[in-house]
Amino acid sequence: MRDSSDKTPIWKAIANAVRGDLAEGRYAVGDKLPTEAALADRFGVNRHTVRHGISVLVEEGLVRTRRGAGVFVAATPTDYPIGNRVRFHENLIAAGRRPEKRMLALDERAATIGEAQALQIEAGDPVCAYHGLSLADGQPIAVFESLFPLLRLPRITSALSETSSVTQALGIAGIDDYTRASTRLTAVRATATQALLLQVSEGDPLLRSSSMNQCAAGAPVEYGRTWFAGDRITLTL
Amino acid sequence: MRDSSDKTPIWKAIANAVRGDLAEGRYAVGDKLPTEAALADRFGVNRHTVRHGISVLVEEGLVRTRRGAGVFVAATPTDYPIGNRVRFHENLIAAGRRPEKRMLALDERAATIGEAQALQIEAGDPVCAYHGLSLADGQPIAVFESLFPLLRLPRITSALSETSSVTQALGIAGIDDYTRASTRLTAVRATATQALLLQVSEGDPLLRSSSMNQCAAGAPVEYGRTWFAGDRITLTL
DNA sequence: CTTTCCTATACAACTATACATATCTTATCA
DNA sequence: TGATAAGATATGTATAGTTGTATAGGAAAG
């Protein structure tokens, strides 16, 4: 494979070869690459050398590894515009991706002091907590938790249990239109649970969006926090 | 230095997540948890990994499995180990929960007879009283009141106003290390104020811990009383 | 000599799949 | 109404495959 004039390391040559396969479109997004053992056999090298090459592609964001499963072609980051009307589904559909929302938990409880302050209610007032996972093309994009004031929206819990769409649920609950009153963004590190749900590594940076939506009358109807996988989403203002 | 990117195994993260659901009261005793397959789907992992995590909860006695039927809640509280070194934050972090502390009041006053006896000072000697609220994952866990002898620790009040960590404040005040000399536990009924802070009903049972911490030389440096929400915390010795 | 690259081995962690076994649900029949 | 059987559902067990990590060592270049 190598002649005397070839001074590029084997691991780099392997990275280039696999990157070339990806560029040629031999694999689609989500496809599984040959196993490390198979690649090592094909190139006639040790598995560690293959791993070194693949690690380059991981750094570049081209592929993603899943222990026990294999190496998979990663998706390209999605642009996600933010304005005063933010609708997750519509944004992703506009970007040509297939959105999906998975409910993780839906329950009613008492608001904490901070939550009460955000929703302009009294601490201890009942709220509806909607915890879920957002995906695009089957790949997890964000985890979110939305809080709704139950005293203003008594039927929101049952509405959410019927439709996963927040917009529709608010409509059922009597809110025909709402606008984003504020959005705050920070970068945080993924907790173990968040990392698990988003299929990233613990400690990886997440983009945390804290937002407040209000009805036409100006009363807060939703206090939402969303943690985006930083390497799969780019928020644009 | 502080960059400790601890890697939590997936099975442990799942155990922590489910334990958190139990502690938050999302399931009642006897309720059936989601099936292993459902949990595996939710977290995007293999069923075996979920089983590993659940086996931890079985060991802890929180859940019980019935072949062919499902996994059922056996108990709901959070474990909270107590030794001769008790650090609220570290215990909760070790349990996979997100601890938080809110200061409610910080002032200096004269010690009562009982407090003076506990701190081995003279009645009427000045003490620093630190009143606060401890939370885990946003849920109030306990209210506490810590007393510090001002004649031994003149700078403790200003130290506590800068950091919410008792350990750090004692360090600023010159106490590098301290150990728990005694712990006494009783069950009491929640007063109206305590019930409001802990988001329980007035009269609900609380676990009252009365503890004394001493410095390396053996002199008392803190006399603390903590009222735990009994349905959210179980102290293990 | 030290560093880098690569090989070699072993084990841990997680996945994938299949099948066994216990329980629950539902349809059916007397 | 009640009993029974069949099918669906859920946990228990087994086996093999794949990536992650640790350790050790040889070969070549600076």
Side-chain angles (χ1 to χ4, degrees):
Chain A
M1 294 276 279
R2 307 175 67 192
D3 51 9
S4 55
S5 66
D6 189 359
K7 50 184 177 180
T8 65
I10 299 180
W11 58 268
K12 198 170 289 188
I14 291 177
N16 289 335
V18 177
R19 193 189 296 108
D21 287 348
L22 293 172
E24 285 178 13
R26 291 183 60 177
Y27 304 102
V29 170
D31 275 4
K32 181 174 177 292
L33 295 187
T35 67
E36 294 174 348
L39 287 175
D41 190 57
R42 181 160 106 197
F43 290 108
V45 298
N46 190 270
R47 186 165 76 95
H48 284 295
T49 311
V50 170
R51 286 177 57 75
H52 193 172
I54 288 180
S55 71
V56 175
L57 305 180
V58 172
E59 284 288 325
E60 295 172 354
L62 290 176
V63 299
R64 198 169 58 80
T65 60
R66 281 177 53 207
R67 173 189 288 215
V71 183
F72 298 85
V73 180
T76 54
T78 304
D79 265 343
Y80 184 64
I82 279 195
N84 22 336
R85 287 166 181 274
V86 178
R87 307 290 186 268
F88 192 84
H89 266 51
E90 288 141 26
N91 279 330
L92 285 177
I93 290 174
R97 309 196 65 181
R98 183 176 51 83
E100 187 185 348
K101 192 179 280 188
R102 202 173 294 169
M103 181 185 300
L104 298 179
L106 177 67
D107 54 359
E108 300 183 348
R109 58 176 172 81
T112 69
I113 297 176
E115 294 165 353
Q117 189 171 9
L119 285 172
Q120 297 179 21
I121 59 178
E122 298 294 321
D125 278 2
V127 293
C128 168
Y130 176 30
H131 193 63
L133 182 66
S134 291
L135 307 95
D137 295 332
Q139 189 179 44
I141 292 296
V143 290
F144 62 88
E145 185 179 36
S146 283
L147 291 177
F148 304 89
L150 273 173
L151 294 184
R152 293 194 194 111
L153 308 166
R155 301 190 304 170
I156 189 67
T157 306
S158 63
L160 281 170
S161 65
E162 290 167 8
T163 173
S164 64
S165 164
V166 168
T167 303
Q168 282 184 22
L170 284 173
I172 296 175
I175 305 295
D176 294 324
D177 193 26
Y178 63 95
T179 56
R180 175 154 297 192
S182 67
T183 300
R184 286 183 297 177
L185 298 175
T186 54
V188 299
R189 291 194 170 276
T191 66
T193 305
Q194 290 169 340
L196 191 57
L197 291 170
L198 291 174
Q199 295 181 17
V200 300
S201 295
E202 182 178 1
D204 276 0
L206 301 182
L207 192 59
R208 176 174 172 266
S209 162
S210 174
S211 64
M212 211 276 290
N213 282 313
Q214 62 186 14
C215 65
V221 293
E222 181 201 5
Y223 171 57
R225 283 166 292 182
T226 307
W227 291 264
F228 294 93
D231 57 346
R232 289 177 209 146
I233 281 286
T234 302
L235 296 184
T236 60
L237 306 173
Chain B
M1 338 202 306
R2 186 64 72 170
D3 188 0
S4 58
S5 55
D6 290 346
K7 275 206 162 181
T8 307
I10 297 179
W11 58 268
K12 195 173 287 188
I14 290 176
N16 290 337
V18 177
R19 194 191 295 108
D21 286 348
L22 294 174
E24 285 178 12
R26 189 156 291 157
Y27 305 102
V29 172
D31 277 4
K32 180 173 177 294
L33 293 188
T35 66
E36 295 174 347
L39 287 174
D41 188 58
R42 166 184 301 182
F43 291 110
V45 300
N46 191 270
R47 187 166 74 93
H48 287 297
T49 312
V50 170
R51 285 176 58 76
H52 192 173
I54 288 181
S55 72
V56 174
L57 304 180
V58 173
E59 285 286 324
E60 296 172 357
L62 291 178
V63 300
R64 186 174 106 266
T65 60
R66 281 175 50 208
R67 179 179 200 162
V71 183
F72 297 86
V73 178
T76 53
T78 302
D79 267 347
Y80 183 65
I82 281 194
N84 46 344
R85 289 166 179 273
V86 177
R87 308 288 186 270
F88 194 86
H89 266 52
E90 288 150 32
N91 279 331
L92 285 176
I93 290 174
R97 309 198 65 186
R98 182 176 51 81
E100 189 184 348
K101 192 181 280 189
R102 290 190 196 143
M103 181 183 299
L104 298 177
L106 178 66
D107 54 358
E108 298 183 350
R109 57 176 171 81
T112 68
I113 297 177
E115 293 164 354
Q117 189 172 9
L119 284 171
Q120 296 178 20
I121 59 178
E122 296 297 321
D125 279 359
V127 293
C128 168
Y130 175 33
H131 193 61
L133 181 66
S134 290
L135 305 95
D137 293 335
Q139 189 178 46
I141 290 296
V143 291
F144 61 89
E145 181 177 47
S146 282
L147 290 177
F148 305 88
L150 273 173
L151 295 184
R152 293 195 194 109
L153 307 165
R155 301 189 304 170
I156 189 67
T157 307
S158 63
L160 281 169
S161 66
E162 290 169 7
T163 173
S164 65
S165 163
V166 169
T167 302
Q168 282 186 23
L170 284 173
I172 296 176
I175 306 296
D176 292 324
D177 195 19
Y178 64 97
T179 56
R180 173 153 296 192
S182 68
T183 300
R184 285 184 298 179
L185 300 174
T186 55
V188 298
R189 291 195 170 277
T191 66
T193 307
Q194 290 168 340
L196 183 62
L197 290 170
L198 293 174
Q199 296 182 12
V200 299
S201 297
E202 184 175 355
D204 277 1
L206 301 183
L207 192 59
R208 175 174 169 256
S209 163
S210 173
S211 65
M212 210 275 290
N213 283 312
Q214 61 186 16
C215 65
V221 294
E222 179 200 4
Y223 172 58
R225 281 167 296 183
T226 307
W227 291 264
F228 293 92
D231 57 345
R232 292 173 204 150
I233 282 286
T234 297
L235 300 182
T236 62
L237 308 172

